[in-house]
Amino acid sequence: MTEKKADLDYKQLFDDAPCGYLLVDTGGVIVGANAWMSTVLGYPAGGLDGKRLRDIFSIAARILYETNLAPLLKLQQAVSEVTLDLKRVDGTAVPVIMAASSAPNSSGLEDMTRIAFVHAGERRLYERQLVSARDSAEKDLAQQQSDGVLREQFIAILGHDLRNPLASISAAARILGKETLSDRSRQVIALMQGSALRMSGLIDNVLDFTRARLGGGIGVELHPEQALEPLLDQVVQELRASNPAHEIVATYDVTQPVKCDASKIGQLVSNLLGNALTHGDRATPIHFHAETTDSGLFRVWIANGGPSIPEEVIPKLFDPFARGESHGYKEGLGLGLFIASEIAKAHGGTLVVRSSEGETRFTFEMTI
């Protein structure tokens, strides 16, 4: 192959390359540009020769090159994967990725900087999308943090501003109940006490539901309870007082200490008994039993009469705001069973339901 032929092949490869090539001298003047560069920037063939490199850069790219890239080239003889904009002859921008080398080689170009460019339109679009997604995520995070403050305020209102007046109403009803009253007045006070009890349970359930959803579960403080039976009996007595027409038969065999959060166990029992009172057959007594076993378990079960829960309802029975509608099991399951289930989980225990014609039984078990 002759030297002239080799020169021709080299020039042809240089011009036909699917990317841009520039040769730039030490003074920053373009001494060679392939056809890709001329076409992309809107210059005629050879129209870039003799122009300064800075003239084909956008203002931002010029600043980047002169303050960052040129010093790097002197220091380490190469830069790569630099995203910047070139300037077309009509002033519009062309997004590109640049790589450059100024290391000496055997081709006699040791005093030249060799620069390659490829289109970066899709990459720049992707980068803009990433930036937009990041900005959107930051805004969403800020909104969630703001919402979190509102939720905390909501919890505070429920936990303080509603509990305190409710406690006052309950105390006032108890005081009036000790006075000499007519039968009608005693009925009214009983209704007030029942309503206050239901409202207190509702506040507890909403608070725990909110905490469970925000914090990933209901928090409990476990302490060895030497006398759990009086607390359970208090829950039963309160529900008896507010539901005098529905008999509750309670038995206890709690002979061992139970490591638990007593207030939460009381809430679990209250929710399960409240569910039985709402959905059970009023002509059939509700049976409540609590016990500790020789195998190291604390067990509570509550059974009510009435039609069975439909099979299709049972898998969703412990979901929040679950609704079932068939025979005695109609609307109104709400949060009670969900909160009871979450309390059981927080104690490392289980809450299961078995339902057949004539009896529905919820059983809670945990290790003591």
Side-chain angles (χ1 to χ4, degrees):
M1 182 181 292
T2 66
E3 184 177 345
K4 183 176 180 180
K5 180 65 173 176
D7 288 343
L8 180 61
D9 290 344
Y10 166 77
K11 186 177 185 307
Q12 192 68 36
L13 289 172
F14 184 75
D15 279 335
D16 292 345
C19 60
Y21 283 118
L22 289 182
L23 298 176
V24 182
D25 66 17
T26 55
V29 176
I30 299 171
V31 298
N34 71 346
W36 189 96
M37 291 296 302
S38 299
T39 301
V40 167
L41 297 184
Y43 288 89
L48 288 172
D49 295 351
K51 290 190 174 293
R52 293 178 301 172
L53 179 63
R54 67 193 309 270
D55 292 338
I56 67 168
F57 281 157
S58 68
I59 294 176
R62 185 184 307 167
I63 294 172
L64 174 65
Y65 184 83
E66 294 178 352
T67 61
N68 191 308
L69 302 181
L72 275 178
L73 278 169
K74 289 182 179 180
L75 181 65
Q76 60 189 31
Q77 286 80 51
V79 294
S80 62
E81 296 188 23
V82 179
T83 303
L84 48 79
D85 288 337
L86 298 180
K87 184 174 66 174
R88 288 175 51 86
V89 70
D90 60 6
T92 57
V94 180
V96 295
I97 299 173
M98 181 187 105
S101 172
S102 61
N105 59 28
S106 60
S107 63
L109 299 175
E110 59 273 7
D111 294 328
M112 300 288 179
T113 297
R114 294 169 295 284
I115 305 177
F117 299 96
V118 293
H119 276 298
E122 291 186 3
R123 172 168 170 167
R124 296 292 289 279
L125 176 61
Y126 177 65
E127 289 174 348
R128 286 193 293 270
Q129 290 173 339
L130 284 178
V131 171
S132 176
R134 183 197 64 191
D135 292 343
S136 177
E138 290 176 348
K139 290 179 181 178
D140 289 344
L141 177 60
Q143 184 63 48
Q144 288 176 9
Q145 291 172 338
S146 176
D147 291 345
V149 172
L150 291 176
R151 284 192 292 263
E152 290 299 325
Q153 293 173 344
F154 172 71
I155 292 174
I157 290 171
L158 281 176
H160 182 270
D161 294 349
L162 291 183
R163 281 187 189 277
N164 287 351
L166 184 61
S168 297
I169 293 171
S170 298
R174 285 195 297 271
I175 292 172
L176 287 175
K178 296 177 182 179
E179 301 291 331
T180 302
L181 301 170
S182 65
D183 291 342
R184 176 61 176 166
S185 296
R186 292 191 179 279
Q187 290 176 357
V188 171
I189 290 175
L191 289 173
M192 290 172 59
Q193 291 175 322
S195 296
L197 181 65
R198 285 193 297 273
M199 187 177 292
S200 178
L202 176 62
I203 292 172
D204 288 339
N205 287 341
V206 173
L207 280 171
D208 283 332
F209 173 73
T210 306
R211 292 191 184 106
R213 285 306 173 94
L214 292 178
I218 292 177
V220 295
E221 296 182 7
L222 304 180
H223 302 286
E225 292 294 332
Q226 301 293 333
L228 192 57
E229 183 177 319
L231 179 141
L232 300 177
D233 193 56
Q234 179 184 350
V235 173
V236 172
Q237 294 301 335
E238 287 176 350
L239 288 168
R240 276 178 177 158
S242 60
N243 296 271
H246 203 157
E247 183 181 1
I248 300 176
V249 178
T251 56
Y252 306 95
D253 189 17
V254 183
T255 58
Q256 303 176 55
V258 179
K259 189 176 183 180
C260 66
D261 187 322
S263 65
K264 293 301 183 187
I265 294 297
Q267 185 181 355
L268 177 147
V269 170
S270 178
N271 286 357
L272 294 180
L273 277 174
N275 182 73
L277 287 165
T278 299
H279 301 289
D281 180 7
R282 293 186 177 275
T284 305
I286 292 171
H287 291 271
F288 168 75
H289 181 71
E291 64 180 353
T292 52
T293 69
D294 293 338
S295 59
L297 292 178
F298 171 60
R299 179 184 297 124
V300 168
W301 59 261
I302 293 158
N304 61 264
S308 63
I309 305 174
E311 288 293 330
E312 66 273 15
V313 172
I314 290 179
K316 298 181 178 180
L317 203 57
F318 298 107
D319 291 347
F321 307 111
R323 291 290 182 267
E325 187 170 348
S326 178
H327 300 88
Y329 270 78
K330 50 189 181 298
E331 294 185 5
L333 295 180
L335 290 175
L337 294 180
F338 169 73
I339 298 301
S341 177
E342 290 296 305
I343 292 173
K345 292 176 185 176
H347 282 81
T350 59
L351 178 61
V352 298
V353 58
R354 290 182 174 84
S355 185
S356 59
E357 194 65 27
E359 182 183 272
T360 293
R361 178 176 298 207
F362 288 85
T363 303
F364 164 63
E365 287 185 351
M366 62 170 283
T367 302
I368 59 176

